[in-house]
């Protein structure tokens, strides 16, 4: 019996080698993540420790997203880098959430983050602010900054580029809106560019009259 088993074992094909390549790839991915994190740390990203102040949570998101404008990385890497800046209670929260939601993208991260640190009542107020937002006496650049900041809380109102363009154009100051509306732009970037150009042209046109008025005043004195 023992001799028979020995012969059968000799006839079996050799065992396949262990899959070394996936292990190597995993180590390479870890090395890239470490290198990316070190580079991101040099930019001194804002830290977030949690708490009950939604304005601090919003300020942290704005600070992180500002860095992402110049620090090129994938959506998944954004989540990894943002998680690196969480400390204290926020870090403990993410350790629980991150284990359940592996592979989430940046938009999904913001959704769970705001759900935790931005109460619904504050969110509703931001939507109300966006609904009432007008350019007023602000410059186009100032108005655009407010528009962009508040729009993320009311995505249902700007979920297409056309709707975003109409919303932005609809509450521009009258003199600027007239110059933009006549062109019937369908893209937000075109509406913004035209509004900025119109504001600049109007300022240039008014400048000689202001200078002339000052000169006449100096002569009368």
């Amino acid at each position: 019996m023992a001799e028979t088993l020995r012969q059968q074992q000799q006839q079996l094909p050799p065992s396949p080698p262990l899959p070394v390549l996936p292990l190597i790839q995993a180590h390479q991915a870890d090395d890239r993540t470490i290198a990316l994190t070190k580079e991101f740390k040099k930019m001194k990203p804002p830290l977030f420790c949690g708490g009950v102040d939604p304005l601090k949570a919003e300020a942290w998101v704005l600070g992180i997203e500002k860095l992402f404008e110049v620090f090129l990385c994938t959506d998944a890497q954004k989540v990894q880098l943002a998680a690196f800046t969480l400390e204290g209670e926020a870090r403990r929260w993410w350790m629980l959430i991150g284990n359940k939601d592996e592979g989430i993208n940046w938009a999904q991260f913001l959704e769970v983050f705001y759900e935790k640190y931005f109460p619904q009542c504050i969110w509703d107020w931001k939507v109300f602010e966006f609904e009432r937002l007008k350019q007023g006496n602000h410059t186009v650049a100032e108005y655009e900054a407010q528009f962009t900041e508040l729009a993320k809380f009311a995505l249902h109102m700007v979920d297409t580029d056309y709707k975003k363009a109409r919303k932005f154009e609809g509450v521009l100051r009258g003199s600027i809106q007239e110059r933009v509306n006549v062109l019937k732009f369908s893209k937000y970037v075109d509406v913004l560019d035209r509004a900025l150009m119109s504001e600049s042209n109007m300022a240039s046109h008014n400048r000689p009259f202001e200078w002339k008025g000052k000169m006449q005043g100096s002569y009368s004195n």
Side-chain angles (χ1 to χ4, degrees), residues 203-221:
S204 298
H205 179 74
N206 293 331
R207 203 167 292 128
F209 294 98
E210 294 175 0
W211 178 82
K212 184 177 180 180
K214 291 180 180 178
M215 290 298 295
Q216 289 177 344
S218 62
Y219 288 144
S220 64
N221 292 334

Side-chain angles (χ1 to χ4, degrees), residues 34-52:
I34 292 173
L36 192 70
T37 302
K38 287 182 178 179
E39 291 300 314
F40 188 67
K41 187 177 180 180
K42 292 178 182 178
M43 302 181 71
K44 297 182 179 180
L47 304 178
F48 182 70
C49 301
V52 294

Side-chain angles (χ1 to χ4, degrees), residues 78-149:
K78 286 182 180 180
V79 177
Q80 293 176 336
L81 294 173
F84 167 77
T85 69
L86 299 177
E87 295 189 342
E89 181 269 326
R91 181 65 182 174
R92 291 189 292 272
W93 164 77
W94 177 244
M95 289 176 67
L96 294 174
I97 296 296
N99 292 334
K100 298 177 183 178
D101 297 314
E102 293 183 0
I104 69 173
N105 60 35
W106 180 241
Q108 292 169 329
F109 172 86
L110 289 180
E111 184 177 347
V112 295
F113 177 82
Y114 279 131
E115 183 178 346
K116 171 67 176 178
Y117 293 107
F118 214 101
Q120 187 62 46
C121 60
I122 303 296
W123 192 284
D124 292 342
W125 177 253
K126 291 292 185 180
V127 173
F128 179 68
E129 283 188 292
F130 185 64
E131 291 173 341
R132 298 184 60 189
L133 181 64
K134 295 181 180 180
Q135 182 187 356
N137 295 324
H138 296 291
T139 66
V140 172
E142 291 170 341
Y143 163 56
E144 193 273 337
Q146 289 182 311
F147 184 92
T148 301
E149 179 182 347

Side-chain angles (χ1 to χ4, degrees), residues 153-169:
F153 301 103
L155 294 178
H156 61 285
M157 299 177 63
V158 290
D159 54 358
T160 67
D161 196 53
Y162 179 81
K163 289 167 66 174
K164 187 177 181 181
R166 296 287 72 77
K167 172 63 178 173
F168 183 85
E169 177 189 302

